[in-house]
Amino acid sequence: MKKTTILLAAILMMVTGAKAQKEWTLEDCVNYALEHNITLKKARVTSESAKEDVKESRAALLPSVSGSTNQSVGYRPWQDNSTTTVTNGVVDTNVKKSYYNGSYGINAQWNVWDGNRLRNVLKQNKVKAEQAELETQVSANSIEEKIAQLYIQILYLSEAVKVNEQTLETSKKNEERGQQMMEVGKMSKADVAQLTAQRASDEYNIVQARANIIKYKTQLKQLLELDGTTEFDVATTPVSDETALVSFPGTQEVYEQALLSRPEIASKELGLKSGELAIKIAKAGYSPTLNMTGGVGTSTNSQSRINWGNQMKTNFNASAGVTLNIPIYDKRQAKTAVRKARLQMETAKLNLQDQQKQLYQTIENYWLDAETNQQKLRSAIATEKSEQESYNLLQEQFNLGLKNIVELMTGKDKLLKAQQNKLESKYQTLLAQQMLQFYKR
């Protein structure tokens, strides 16, 4: 039984460990961040707040109703009981020094006409709610873009580590061969020391690349809102060169599609609509306002001989009225409001133009990156192949004693540089292509 329990516990730990070591794909990272990222959650809260403003402005079109009551106790220490008083319209000669009053009322008010101000405020709040929703999408897109950049950077460094590991193996073999040649007198200690230094340099490059991977993974975890104790790793399947050499859409094609789909453009376009409504709201300051009021009420008093119920009935009253306000001179308040609203409208137009300009520049830069790095990649592939063949020949000649250490290390440096150039241009191309597709969707 103990062995079975231990075995089950071990299996459970293995399963738990496997779950903890799950490799996250780019899609996994994006989906998780869209649900848990704090910045995005704040944007959603702002959007919900804007929706509440819409509900409030819609309710402002309805009449307002309020109830009120007042209860008070009074005392007249020098009151003459024979004095005749009138309470709530009732003559009473039986007056007490202490008394109790109560009043009750229900009042209603309705804004009949205000130059359509409240209706335009409702329309404007609806527009602002749509803008808040679009800003949430802008935040989501920004997070997705950052995740893609970090993810591709991790892929690049992971493949760079593998290249450096292969280079390190070659350096170790060269070092071993150098020591053998030194033992038989065909190589000096200084040359062997250079081979040892090269091997140490390759080890350092691996350590540095792995440290950078950890740094980018940490940044990615922060975007996903994962705590420091959570095990995290990404799926680092190498990407073929052919994937980076596929064709991609042109700048104008991506830009035209982005104008129709990007939330930041739609948000700025809604800013124009909001500006138009702001002007109408400001112009309402020139218009007369008409309000209807009405109310019912009653009261009671302890000095009256009439009982409480009859007092409530006897003292019942109702009223209704209409209030018309006509603006004559408002110290330029309405005119200033209209002028400011029009200036805000001009700002909204400039914001839209600026956003369109930024969008085009961003897409153009990504297209140039994709085009330039793709050309570099084609050249780097040919260069790497040539340098690899050259280095293989150098290594054979070095092993035969036909080439010296300087020639071997020079050839190795050229090969390593060609490999690094190929990796860098490949993943820079992939990132730019990914961003172009991201803006085109």
Side-chain angles (χ1 to χ4, degrees):
M1 180 63 71
K2 288 183 178 180
K3 290 182 178 180
T4 303
T5 304
I6 294 174
L7 179 60
L8 290 174
I11 293 174
L12 180 60
M13 291 177 63
M14 291 174 62
V15 172
T16 304
K19 290 181 179 179
Q21 295 296 329
K22 169 194 172 183
E23 292 186 342
W24 293 60
T25 64
L26 177 58
E27 185 179 1
D28 292 335
C29 293
V30 170
N31 291 338
Y32 190 88
L34 293 181
E35 184 177 353
H36 296 88
N37 184 268
I38 292 178
T39 301
L40 195 52
K41 287 182 177 180
K42 289 181 178 179
R44 293 193 183 106
V45 171
T46 302
S47 178
E48 291 299 318
S49 178
K51 292 177 182 178
E52 291 300 318
D53 290 338
V54 172
K55 295 177 182 179
E56 182 181 18
S57 56
R58 182 181 290 113
L61 298 174
L62 303 174
S64 62
V65 181
S66 63
S68 64
T69 181
N70 179 58
Q71 309 295 320
S72 62
V73 176
Y75 179 64
R76 295 175 179 174
W78 295 283
Q79 175 69 51
D80 185 354
N81 288 339
S82 63
T83 302
T84 301
T85 62
V86 178
T87 304
N88 296 324
V90 179
V91 179
D92 197 336
T93 57
N94 185 20
V95 179
K96 298 180 180 178
K97 292 185 176 182
S98 60
Y99 58 92
Y100 177 83
N101 285 329
S103 62
Y104 313 87
I106 297 177
N107 299 296
Q109 182 176 353
W110 182 32
N111 185 293
V112 180
W113 174 253
D114 61 354
N116 268 339
R117 179 183 176 278
L118 290 178
R119 288 175 174 79
N120 286 323
V121 168
L122 172 59
K123 293 177 182 179
Q124 188 182 51
N125 284 336
K126 287 181 178 179
V127 171
K128 290 181 178 180
E130 292 180 34
Q131 283 184 295
E133 184 66 28
L134 289 171
E135 289 302 319
T136 302
Q137 296 179 25
V138 171
S139 298
N141 287 344
S142 177
I143 291 170
E144 187 173 349
E145 190 171 341
K146 290 177 182 177
I147 289 174
Q149 292 172 346
L150 290 172
Y151 196 92
I152 290 179
Q153 190 68 30
I154 292 171
L155 292 182
Y156 160 65
L157 289 172
S158 298
E159 193 165 344
V161 166
K162 293 179 181 179
V163 171
N164 288 332
E165 287 174 345
Q166 294 174 357
T167 303
L168 176 61
E169 290 300 318
T170 302
S171 296
K172 289 180 179 179
K173 291 179 181 179
N174 289 339
E175 184 183 13
E176 292 174 359
R177 178 58 180 165
Q179 290 175 348
Q180 292 172 359
M181 295 176 70
M182 183 184 67
E183 292 174 358
V184 297
K186 291 184 178 181
M187 183 175 288
S188 67
K189 288 185 178 179
D191 289 341
V192 174
Q194 290 184 38
L195 290 174
T196 302
Q198 182 64 56
R199 185 260 305 159
S201 176
D202 291 338
E203 290 177 343
Y204 175 82
N205 290 337
I206 293 174
V207 172
Q208 184 65 40
R210 286 175 176 168
N212 288 333
I213 290 175
I214 293 174
K215 180 182 71 174
Y216 287 119
K217 285 182 179 179
T218 301
Q219 294 178 16
L220 188 52
K221 286 177 66 176
Q222 290 172 350
L223 281 177
L224 301 180
E225 305 297 345
L226 297 173
D227 58 47
T229 60
T230 303
E231 294 291 339
F232 177 79
D233 201 2
V234 300
T236 55
T237 304
V239 181
S240 65
D241 298 340
E242 290 73 17
T243 303
L245 292 175
V246 298
S247 60
F248 48 88
T251 302
Q252 193 63 31
E253 179 185 350
V254 177
Y255 176 67
E256 290 176 357
Q257 184 62 38
L259 286 177
L260 301 175
S261 60
R262 295 295 294 183
E264 56 266 37
I265 297 297
S267 178
K268 293 298 184 291
E269 290 174 345
L270 286 176
L272 295 179
K273 185 182 293 186
S274 178
E276 293 173 354
L277 291 169
I279 294 174
K280 292 180 180 180
I281 292 171
K283 285 183 176 180
Y286 293 123
S287 175
T289 59
L290 180 64
N291 294 297
M292 291 182 63
T293 59
V296 293
T298 186
S299 61
T300 60
N301 187 281
S302 62
Q303 292 179 333
S304 175
R305 294 177 179 178
I306 304 173
N307 62 45
W308 186 86
N310 287 332
Q311 284 190 63
M312 290 284 288
K313 180 178 179 181
T314 302
N315 296 333
F316 177 83
N317 65 85
S319 64
V322 176
T323 302
L324 177 65
N325 290 319
I326 302 175
I328 298 175
Y329 178 68
D330 64 350
K331 302 179 182 179
R332 205 180 184 274
Q333 292 181 5
K335 185 176 182 179
T336 300
V338 172
R339 297 266 306 170
K340 286 186 174 181
R342 285 175 175 164
L343 291 174
Q344 290 176 357
M345 182 67 174
E346 290 299 318
T347 301
K349 291 179 180 178
L350 294 174
N351 288 339
L352 176 59
Q353 294 175 8
D354 186 51
Q355 189 66 60
Q356 291 172 338
K357 178 183 176 181
Q358 290 181 20
L359 179 63
Y360 187 85
Q361 289 178 343
T362 300
I363 293 173
E364 185 177 40
N365 289 336
Y366 280 131
W367 186 89
L368 290 173
D369 286 344
E371 178 69 17
T372 302
N373 284 289
Q374 197 175 72
Q375 293 177 5
K376 288 182 178 179
L377 176 59
R378 292 190 180 97
S379 176
I381 291 173
T383 302
E384 183 198 29
K385 183 178 180 181
S386 175
E387 293 296 343
Q388 184 67 60
E389 292 175 353
S390 176
Y391 181 71
N392 291 340
L393 180 59
L394 276 173
Q395 197 168 29
E396 291 178 4
Q397 293 175 331
F398 173 76
N399 292 336
L400 295 173
L402 301 177
K403 294 292 182 180
N404 60 36
I405 185 65
V406 175
E407 292 173 314
L408 179 67
M409 294 184 66
T410 301
K412 183 173 179 294
D413 288 341
K414 289 182 179 180
L415 174 60
L416 181 59
K417 184 177 180 180
Q419 291 173 331
Q420 291 175 339
N421 287 340
K422 190 190 81 167
L423 281 179
E424 183 176 352
S425 58
K426 179 172 72 171
Y427 281 98
Q428 288 291 346
T429 302
L430 287 171
L431 176 60
Q433 289 176 338
Q434 178 76 20
M435 292 299 102
L436 287 174
Q437 294 297 333
F438 179 69
Y439 278 84
K440 185 176 180 292
R441 67 184 184 184

